Coordinates of all heavy atoms in Angstrom, one line a residue:
M1 N -13.6 -16.7 -11.1 CA -12.4 -15.9 -10.9 C -11.2 -16.9 -10.7 O -11.3 -17.9 -10.0 CB -12.6 -15.1 -9.6 CG -11.5 -14.1 -9.4 SD -11.9 -13.0 -8.0 CE -13.2 -12.0 -8.6
A2 N -10.2 -16.6 -11.4 CA -9.0 -17.5 -11.4 C -8.4 -17.5 -10.0 O -8.4 -16.5 -9.2 CB -7.9 -17.0 -12.3
T3 N -7.9 -18.7 -9.6 CA -7.4 -18.9 -8.3 C -5.9 -19.3 -8.4 O -5.6 -20.2 -9.2 CB -8.1 -20.0 -7.5 OG1 -9.5 -19.6 -7.4 CG2 -7.5 -20.2 -6.1
G4 N -5.0 -18.6 -7.7 CA -3.6 -18.9 -7.8 C -3.3 -20.1 -6.9 O -4.1 -20.7 -6.2
E5 N -2.0 -20.4 -6.8 CA -1.5 -21.5 -6.0 C -1.8 -21.3 -4.5 O -1.8 -22.3 -3.7 CB 0.0 -21.6 -6.2 CG 0.4 -22.1 -7.6 CD 1.9 -22.2 -7.8 OE1 2.6 -22.1 -6.8 OE2 2.3 -22.2 -9.0
T6 N -2.1 -20.1 -4.0 CA -2.3 -19.8 -2.6 C -3.7 -20.2 -2.2 O -4.0 -20.3 -1.0 CB -2.2 -18.3 -2.3 OG1 -3.1 -17.6 -3.1 CG2 -0.8 -17.8 -2.6
G7 N -4.6 -20.5 -3.1 CA -6.0 -20.7 -2.8 C -6.8 -19.5 -2.8 O -8.0 -19.5 -2.7
F8 N -6.2 -18.4 -2.9 CA -6.9 -17.1 -3.0 C -7.0 -16.7 -4.5 O -6.1 -17.0 -5.3 CB -6.2 -16.0 -2.2 CG -6.4 -16.2 -0.7 CD1 -5.7 -17.1 0.0 CD2 -7.3 -15.4 0.0 CE1 -5.9 -17.3 1.3 CE2 -7.5 -15.5 1.3 CZ -6.8 -16.5 2.0
S9 N -8.0 -15.9 -4.8 CA -8.1 -15.4 -6.2 C -6.9 -14.6 -6.6 O -6.3 -14.0 -5.7 CB -9.4 -14.6 -6.3 OG -9.2 -13.3 -5.8
D10 N -6.6 -14.6 -7.8 CA -5.4 -13.8 -8.3 C -5.7 -12.4 -8.0 O -4.7 -11.6 -7.6 CB -5.2 -14.0 -9.8 CG -4.7 -15.4 -10.2 OD1 -4.2 -16.1 -9.3 OD2 -4.9 -15.8 -11.3
V11 N -6.9 -11.9 -8.2 CA -7.2 -10.5 -7.9 C -7.0 -10.1 -6.4 O -6.4 -9.1 -6.1 CB -8.6 -10.1 -8.4 CG1 -9.0 -8.7 -7.9 CG2 -8.8 -10.3 -9.9
A12 N -7.4 -11.0 -5.5 CA -7.2 -10.8 -4.1 C -5.7 -10.8 -3.8 O -5.3 -9.9 -3.1 CB -7.9 -11.8 -3.3
Y13 N -5.0 -11.7 -4.3 CA -3.6 -11.8 -4.1 C -2.9 -10.5 -4.6 O -2.0 -9.9 -3.9 CB -3.0 -13.0 -4.8 CG -1.5 -13.1 -4.6 CD1 -0.9 -13.8 -3.6 CD2 -0.6 -12.5 -5.5 CE1 0.4 -13.9 -3.4 CE2 0.8 -12.6 -5.4 CZ 1.3 -13.3 -4.3 OH 2.6 -13.4 -4.2
D14 N -3.3 -10.0 -5.8 CA -2.7 -8.8 -6.3 C -3.0 -7.6 -5.4 O -2.1 -6.7 -5.2 CB -3.2 -8.6 -7.7 CG -2.8 -9.7 -8.7 OD1 -1.9 -10.5 -8.4 OD2 -3.4 -9.7 -9.8
L15 N -4.2 -7.5 -5.0 CA -4.6 -6.4 -4.1 C -3.8 -6.4 -2.8 O -3.3 -5.4 -2.3 CB -6.1 -6.4 -3.8 CG -7.0 -5.9 -4.9 CD1 -8.5 -6.3 -4.6 CD2 -6.9 -4.4 -5.1
I16 N -3.7 -7.6 -2.2 CA -2.9 -7.8 -1.0 C -1.5 -7.4 -1.2 O -0.9 -6.7 -0.4 CB -3.0 -9.2 -0.5 CG1 -4.5 -9.5 0.0 CG2 -2.0 -9.5 0.7 CD1 -4.8 -10.9 0.3
S17 N -0.9 -7.7 -2.4 CA 0.5 -7.4 -2.7 C 0.6 -5.9 -2.8 O 1.6 -5.3 -2.2 CB 0.9 -8.1 -4.0 OG 2.2 -7.8 -4.3
V18 N -0.3 -5.2 -3.5 CA -0.2 -3.8 -3.6 C -0.3 -3.1 -2.3 O 0.4 -2.2 -1.9 CB -1.2 -3.2 -4.6 CG1 -1.3 -1.7 -4.6 CG2 -0.9 -3.7 -6.0
Q19 N -1.3 -3.6 -1.5 CA -1.5 -3.0 -0.2 C -0.3 -3.2 0.7 O 0.2 -2.3 1.4 CB -2.7 -3.7 0.5 CG -3.1 -3.1 1.8 CD -4.3 -3.7 2.5 OE1 -4.4 -5.0 2.5 NE2 -5.2 -2.9 3.0
Y20 N 0.3 -4.4 0.7 CA 1.5 -4.6 1.5 C 2.6 -3.7 1.1 O 3.3 -3.0 2.0 CB 2.0 -6.1 1.3 CG 3.4 -6.3 1.9 CD1 3.6 -6.4 3.3 CD2 4.5 -6.2 1.1 CE1 4.9 -6.6 3.8 CE2 5.8 -6.4 1.6 CZ 6.0 -6.5 2.9 OH 7.2 -6.7 3.4
H21 N 2.9 -3.5 -0.2 CA 4.0 -2.7 -0.6 C 3.7 -1.2 -0.3 O 4.6 -0.4 0.0 CB 4.3 -2.9 -2.1 CG 4.9 -4.2 -2.3 ND1 6.2 -4.5 -1.9 CD2 4.4 -5.4 -2.8 CE1 6.5 -5.8 -2.2 NE2 5.4 -6.3 -2.8
A22 N 2.4 -0.8 -0.4 CA 2.1 0.6 -0.1 C 2.3 0.8 1.4 O 2.9 1.9 1.8 CB 0.6 0.9 -0.4
L23 N 1.9 -0.1 2.3 CA 2.1 0.1 3.7 C 3.6 0.0 4.1 O 4.1 0.8 4.9 CB 1.3 -1.0 4.5 CG -0.2 -0.9 4.4 CD1 -0.9 -2.1 5.0 CD2 -0.7 0.4 5.1
K24 N 4.3 -0.9 3.5 CA 5.8 -1.0 3.7 C 6.4 0.3 3.3 O 7.3 0.8 4.0 CB 6.3 -2.2 3.0 CG 7.8 -2.4 3.0 CD 8.3 -2.9 4.4 CE 9.7 -3.3 4.4 NZ 10.6 -2.2 4.9
G25 N 6.1 0.8 2.1 CA 6.7 2.0 1.6 C 6.4 3.2 2.6 O 7.2 4.0 2.9
G26 N 5.1 3.2 3.1 CA 4.7 4.3 4.0 C 5.6 4.3 5.3 O 6.0 5.3 5.8
H27 N 5.9 3.1 5.7 CA 6.7 2.9 6.9 C 8.1 3.5 6.6 O 8.7 4.2 7.4 CB 6.8 1.5 7.3 CG 7.7 1.2 8.5 ND1 9.0 0.8 8.3 CD2 7.5 1.3 9.8 CE1 9.6 0.7 9.5 NE2 8.6 0.9 10.4
D28 N 8.7 3.0 5.5 CA 10.0 3.5 5.1 C 10.1 5.0 4.8 O 11.1 5.6 5.2 CB 10.5 2.7 3.8 CG 10.6 1.2 4.0 OD1 10.7 0.8 5.2 OD2 10.7 0.5 3.0
Y29 N 9.1 5.5 4.2 CA 9.1 7.0 3.9 C 9.1 7.8 5.1 O 9.6 9.0 5.1 CB 7.9 7.3 3.0 CG 7.8 6.6 1.7 CD1 6.6 6.2 1.1 CD2 9.0 6.2 1.0 CE1 6.5 5.5 -0.1 CE2 8.9 5.5 -0.2 CZ 7.7 5.2 -0.7 OH 7.6 4.5 -1.9
G30 N 8.6 7.3 6.2 CA 8.7 8.1 7.5 C 10.2 8.4 7.8 O 10.5 9.5 8.2
Q31 N 11.0 7.4 7.6 CA 12.5 7.6 7.9 C 13.0 8.6 6.8 O 13.9 9.4 7.2 CB 13.2 6.3 7.8 CG 14.7 6.4 8.1 CD 15.0 7.0 9.5 OE1 14.5 6.5 10.5 NE2 15.8 8.0 9.5
Y32 N 12.6 8.5 5.6 CA 13.1 9.4 4.6 C 12.7 10.8 4.9 O 13.5 11.8 4.6 CB 12.5 9.0 3.2 CG 12.8 7.6 2.7 CD1 12.1 7.1 1.6 CD2 13.7 6.8 3.3 CE1 12.4 5.8 1.2 CE2 14.0 5.5 2.9 CZ 13.3 5.0 1.8 OH 13.5 3.7 1.4
V33 N 11.5 11.1 5.4 CA 11.1 12.4 5.8 C 12.0 12.9 6.9 O 12.5 14.0 6.8 CB 9.6 12.4 6.3 CG1 9.3 13.7 7.0 CG2 8.7 12.1 5.2
R34 N 12.3 12.1 7.9 CA 13.2 12.5 9.0 C 14.6 12.8 8.5 O 15.2 13.8 8.9 CB 13.2 11.4 10.1 CG 11.9 11.4 10.9 CD 12.0 10.4 12.1 NE 12.2 9.0 11.7 CZ 11.2 8.2 11.3 NH1 10.0 8.7 11.3 NH2 11.5 7.0 11.0
D35 N 15.1 12.0 7.6 CA 16.4 12.2 7.0 C 16.5 13.5 6.3 O 17.5 14.3 6.4 CB 16.8 11.1 6.0 CG 17.0 9.7 6.7 OD1 17.2 9.7 7.9 OD2 17.1 8.7 5.9
A36 N 15.5 13.8 5.5 CA 15.4 15.1 4.7 C 15.3 16.3 5.7 O 16.0 17.3 5.5 CB 14.3 15.1 3.7
E37 N 14.5 16.1 6.7 CA 14.4 17.2 7.7 C 15.7 17.5 8.4 O 16.1 18.6 8.6 CB 13.2 16.9 8.7 CG 11.9 17.0 8.1 CD 10.8 16.6 9.1 OE1 11.1 15.8 10.0 OE2 9.6 17.0 8.9
N38 N 16.3 16.4 8.8 CA 17.6 16.5 9.5 C 18.7 17.1 8.6 O 19.6 17.8 9.1 CB 18.1 15.1 10.0 CG 17.2 14.6 11.1 OD1 16.5 15.3 11.8 ND2 17.3 13.3 11.3
A39 N 18.5 17.0 7.3 CA 19.5 17.6 6.4 C 19.1 19.0 6.0 O 19.8 19.6 5.2 CB 19.6 16.7 5.1
G40 N 18.0 19.5 6.5 CA 17.5 20.8 6.2 C 16.9 20.9 4.8 O 16.8 22.0 4.2
K41 N 16.4 19.8 4.3 CA 15.9 19.7 2.9 C 14.3 19.6 3.0 O 13.7 18.6 2.8 CB 16.4 18.5 2.1 CG 17.9 18.5 2.0 CD 18.4 19.6 1.2 CE 20.0 19.6 1.1 NZ 20.5 20.7 0.4
N42 N 13.7 20.7 3.4 CA 12.3 20.7 3.6 C 11.4 20.4 2.4 O 10.4 19.7 2.5 CB 11.8 22.0 4.3 CG 12.4 22.2 5.6 OD1 12.7 21.2 6.3 ND2 12.7 23.4 6.0
E43 N 11.9 20.9 1.2 CA 11.1 20.6 0.0 C 11.1 19.1 -0.3 O 10.1 18.5 -0.7 CB 11.7 21.3 -1.2 CG 10.9 21.2 -2.5 CD 11.5 22.0 -3.6 OE1 12.4 22.9 -3.4 OE2 11.0 21.8 -4.7
I44 N 12.3 18.4 0.0 CA 12.4 17.0 -0.3 C 11.5 16.3 0.8 O 10.8 15.3 0.5 CB 13.8 16.5 -0.3 CG1 14.5 17.2 -1.5 CG2 13.9 15.0 -0.3 CD1 16.0 17.0 -1.5
A45 N 11.6 16.7 2.1 CA 10.7 16.1 3.1 C 9.3 16.2 2.7 O 8.5 15.3 2.9 CB 11.0 16.8 4.4
D46 N 8.8 17.4 2.2 CA 7.4 17.5 1.7 C 7.1 16.5 0.6 O 6.0 16.0 0.6 CB 7.2 18.9 1.3 CG 7.1 19.9 2.4 OD1 7.0 19.5 3.6 OD2 7.3 21.1 2.1
F47 N 8.1 16.3 -0.3 CA 7.9 15.3 -1.4 C 7.7 13.9 -0.8 O 6.7 13.2 -1.2 CB 9.1 15.3 -2.3 CG 9.1 14.1 -3.2 CD1 8.3 14.1 -4.3 CD2 10.0 13.1 -3.0 CE1 8.3 13.0 -5.2 CE2 10.0 12.0 -3.8 CZ 9.1 11.9 -4.9
F48 N 8.5 13.6 0.2 CA 8.3 12.2 0.8 C 7.0 12.1 1.6 O 6.4 11.1 1.5 CB 9.5 11.9 1.8 CG 10.8 11.6 1.1 CD1 12.0 12.2 1.5 CD2 10.8 10.7 0.0 CE1 13.2 11.9 0.8 CE2 12.0 10.5 -0.7 CZ 13.2 11.1 -0.3
R49 N 6.6 13.2 2.2 CA 5.3 13.2 2.9 C 4.1 13.0 1.8 O 3.2 12.2 2.1 CB 5.0 14.5 3.6 CG 5.7 14.6 4.9 CD 5.2 15.9 5.7 NE 6.2 16.2 6.7 CZ 7.2 17.0 6.5 NH1 7.4 17.6 5.4 NH2 8.1 17.2 7.5
K50 N 4.2 13.6 0.7 CA 3.2 13.4 -0.4 C 3.2 12.0 -0.8 O 2.1 11.4 -1.0 CB 3.5 14.4 -1.5 CG 2.5 14.3 -2.6 CD 2.8 15.3 -3.8 CE 1.8 15.1 -4.9 NZ 2.1 15.8 -6.1
V51 N 4.4 11.4 -1.1 CA 4.5 10.0 -1.5 C 3.8 9.1 -0.4 O 3.1 8.2 -0.7 CB 5.9 9.6 -1.8 CG1 6.1 8.1 -2.0 CG2 6.4 10.4 -3.0
M52 N 4.1 9.4 0.8 CA 3.6 8.6 1.9 C 2.1 8.7 2.0 O 1.4 7.7 2.2 CB 4.2 9.1 3.3 CG 3.9 8.2 4.4 SD 4.9 8.5 5.9 CE 5.1 10.2 6.0
E53 N 1.5 9.9 1.8 CA 0.1 10.1 1.7 C -0.6 9.3 0.5 O -1.6 8.7 0.7 CB -0.3 11.6 1.6 CG 0.0 12.3 2.8 CD -0.1 13.8 2.6 OE1 -0.6 14.3 1.6 OE2 0.3 14.6 3.6
E54 N 0.1 9.3 -0.6 CA -0.4 8.6 -1.8 C -0.4 7.1 -1.5 O -1.4 6.4 -1.8 CB 0.5 8.9 -3.0 CG 0.3 10.3 -3.5 CD 1.4 10.7 -4.5 OE1 2.3 9.9 -4.8 OE2 1.3 11.8 -5.1
D55 N 0.6 6.6 -0.9 CA 0.6 5.2 -0.5 C -0.4 4.8 0.5 O -1.0 3.8 0.4 CB 2.0 4.7 0.0 CG 2.9 4.3 -1.2 OD1 2.5 4.2 -2.3 OD2 4.1 4.0 -0.9
S56 N -0.7 5.7 1.4 CA -1.7 5.5 2.4 C -3.1 5.4 1.8 O -3.9 4.5 2.1 CB -1.7 6.6 3.5 OG -2.7 6.4 4.4
R57 N -3.4 6.3 0.8 CA -4.6 6.2 0.1 C -4.7 4.9 -0.7 O -5.8 4.3 -0.8 CB -4.8 7.5 -0.8 CG -5.2 8.7 0.0 CD -5.6 9.8 -1.0 NE -4.6 10.3 -1.9 CZ -3.7 11.2 -1.7 NH1 -3.6 11.7 -0.5 NH2 -2.8 11.5 -2.6
R58 N -3.6 4.6 -1.4 CA -3.5 3.3 -2.2 C -3.8 2.1 -1.3 O -4.6 1.3 -1.7 CB -2.2 3.2 -2.8 CG -2.0 2.1 -3.8 CD -0.7 2.2 -4.5 NE -0.6 3.4 -5.3 CZ 0.3 4.4 -5.1 NH1 1.1 4.4 -4.1 NH2 0.3 5.5 -5.8
A59 N -3.3 2.0 -0.1 CA -3.5 0.9 0.8 C -5.0 0.9 1.2 O -5.6 -0.2 1.3 CB -2.6 1.0 2.0
A60 N -5.5 2.0 1.5 CA -6.9 2.1 1.9 C -7.8 1.7 0.8 O -8.8 1.0 1.1 CB -7.3 3.5 2.4
K61 N -7.5 2.0 -0.4 CA -8.4 1.6 -1.6 C -8.3 0.1 -1.7 O -9.3 -0.5 -2.0 CB -7.9 2.4 -2.8 CG -8.9 2.2 -4.0 CD -10.3 2.8 -3.6 CE -11.2 2.7 -4.8 NZ -12.5 3.2 -4.5
C62 N -7.1 -0.5 -1.6 CA -7.0 -1.9 -1.7 C -7.8 -2.6 -0.6 O -8.5 -3.6 -0.9 CB -5.5 -2.3 -1.5 SG -4.4 -2.0 -2.9
H63 N -7.8 -2.0 0.6 CA -8.6 -2.6 1.7 C -10.1 -2.5 1.3 O -10.8 -3.5 1.5 CB -8.4 -1.8 3.0 CG -9.2 -2.2 4.1 ND1 -9.0 -3.3 4.8 CD2 -10.4 -1.7 4.6 CE1 -9.9 -3.5 5.7 NE2 -10.8 -2.5 5.6
D64 N -10.6 -1.4 0.7 CA -12.0 -1.3 0.3 C -12.3 -2.4 -0.7 O -13.4 -3.1 -0.6 CB -12.3 0.0 -0.3 CG -12.2 1.2 0.7 OD1 -12.2 0.9 1.9 OD2 -12.1 2.3 0.3
Y65 N -11.5 -2.6 -1.7 CA -11.7 -3.7 -2.7 C -11.7 -5.1 -2.1 O -12.5 -5.9 -2.4 CB -10.7 -3.6 -3.8 CG -10.9 -2.4 -4.8 CD1 -9.9 -1.6 -5.1 CD2 -12.2 -2.2 -5.3 CE1 -10.1 -0.5 -6.0 CE2 -12.4 -1.1 -6.2 CZ -11.4 -0.3 -6.5 OH -11.6 0.7 -7.4
L66 N -10.8 -5.3 -1.1 CA -10.7 -6.6 -0.5 C -12.0 -6.9 0.3 O -12.5 -8.0 0.3 CB -9.5 -6.7 0.4 CG -8.1 -6.8 -0.4 CD1 -7.0 -6.5 0.5 CD2 -8.0 -8.2 -1.0
V67 N -12.5 -5.9 1.0 CA -13.7 -6.0 1.7 C -14.9 -6.4 0.8 O -15.7 -7.3 1.1 CB -14.1 -4.7 2.5 CG1 -15.5 -4.7 3.0 CG2 -13.1 -4.5 3.7
Q68 N -14.9 -5.7 -0.4 CA -15.9 -6.1 -1.4 C -15.8 -7.5 -1.9 O -16.8 -8.2 -2.0 CB -15.8 -5.1 -2.6 CG -16.2 -3.7 -2.4 CD -16.0 -2.8 -3.6 OE1 -15.8 -3.3 -4.7 NE2 -15.9 -1.5 -3.4
L69 N -14.6 -7.9 -2.1 CA -14.4 -9.3 -2.6 C -14.8 -10.3 -1.5 O -15.4 -11.3 -1.8 CB -12.9 -9.5 -3.0 CG -12.4 -8.9 -4.3 CD1 -10.9 -9.1 -4.5 CD2 -13.2 -9.3 -5.5
A70 N -14.4 -10.0 -0.3 CA -14.7 -10.9 0.8 C -16.2 -11.0 1.0 O -16.8 -12.1 1.3 CB -14.1 -10.4 2.1
A71 N -16.9 -9.9 0.9 CA -18.4 -9.9 1.1 C -19.1 -10.7 0.0 O -20.1 -11.3 0.2 CB -18.9 -8.4 1.1
A72 N -18.5 -10.7 -1.2 CA -19.0 -11.5 -2.3 C -18.4 -12.9 -2.3 O -18.7 -13.7 -3.2 CB -18.7 -10.8 -3.6
K73 N -17.6 -13.2 -1.3 CA -17.0 -14.5 -1.2 C -16.2 -14.9 -2.4 O -16.2 -16.0 -2.9 CB -18.0 -15.6 -0.9 CG -18.7 -15.4 0.4 CD -19.6 -16.5 0.8 CE -20.5 -16.2 1.9 NZ -20.3 -16.1 3.2
E74 N -15.5 -13.9 -2.9 CA -14.6 -14.0 -4.1 C -13.2 -13.9 -3.8 O -12.4 -13.8 -4.8 CB -15.0 -13.0 -5.2 CG -16.4 -13.1 -5.7 CD -16.8 -12.0 -6.7 OE1 -15.9 -11.2 -7.0 OE2 -17.9 -12.0 -7.2
A75 N -12.8 -13.9 -2.6 CA -11.4 -13.6 -2.3 C -10.6 -14.8 -1.8 O -9.5 -15.1 -2.3 CB -11.3 -12.5 -1.2
G76 N -11.2 -15.6 -0.9 CA -10.4 -16.6 -0.3 C -10.7 -18.0 -0.8 O -11.4 -18.2 -1.8
P77 N -10.2 -19.0 0.0 CA -10.4 -20.4 -0.4 C -11.8 -20.8 -0.7 O -12.1 -21.7 -1.5 CB -9.7 -21.2 0.7 CG -8.8 -20.2 1.3 CD -9.4 -18.9 1.1
A78 N -12.7 -20.2 0.0 CA -14.2 -20.5 -0.2 C -14.6 -20.2 -1.6 O -15.6 -20.7 -2.1 CB -15.0 -19.8 0.8
A79 N -13.9 -19.3 -2.3 CA -14.3 -18.9 -3.6 C -13.9 -20.0 -4.7 O -14.4 -20.0 -5.8 CB -13.6 -17.6 -4.0
A80 N -13.0 -20.9 -4.3 CA -12.5 -21.9 -5.3 C -13.5 -22.9 -5.7 O -14.5 -23.2 -5.3 CB -11.3 -22.6 -4.7

């Protein structure tokens, strides 16, 4: 498995990146939900909730894959 400059496999790095952005988005979307609710835009608030749920599932799936890579010792510096 290819290893990037970080010492972690490219695949692990990519999964961590997607997970980070999904979690960061989920945090930000909470504010978007509140903004839409405060503006009386319930349909838009529901849309933001759906996006937040999708990102939550995406982050969880990344976690599952990272656990698999770690168990196979294919994620971190030990894999090099």
Side-chain angles (χ1 to χ4, degrees):
M1 190 173 291
T3 302
E5 294 177 14
T6 63
F8 285 77
S9 76
D10 290 342
V11 172
Y13 179 90
D14 297 345
L15 285 166
I16 291 166
S17 180
V18 169
Q19 185 179 44
Y20 167 80
H21 290 289
L23 292 170
K24 175 74 170 97
H27 177 268
D28 294 343
Y29 300 145
Q31 181 62 51
Y32 302 167
V33 168
R34 288 187 295 279
D35 291 346
E37 287 175 338
N38 290 339
K41 305 294 184 185
N42 294 329
E43 185 176 351
I44 295 171
D46 289 341
F47 167 75
F48 288 134
R49 280 189 201 89
K50 181 179 176 187
V51 170
M52 192 165 38
E53 290 169 9
E54 290 168 355
D55 270 354
S56 179
R57 283 192 301 273
R58 187 173 296 111
K61 191 62 175 177
C62 286
H63 177 78
D64 293 343
Y65 285 132
L66 287 164
V67 167
Q68 289 175 20
L69 290 177
K73 299 186 192 286
E74 295 179 3

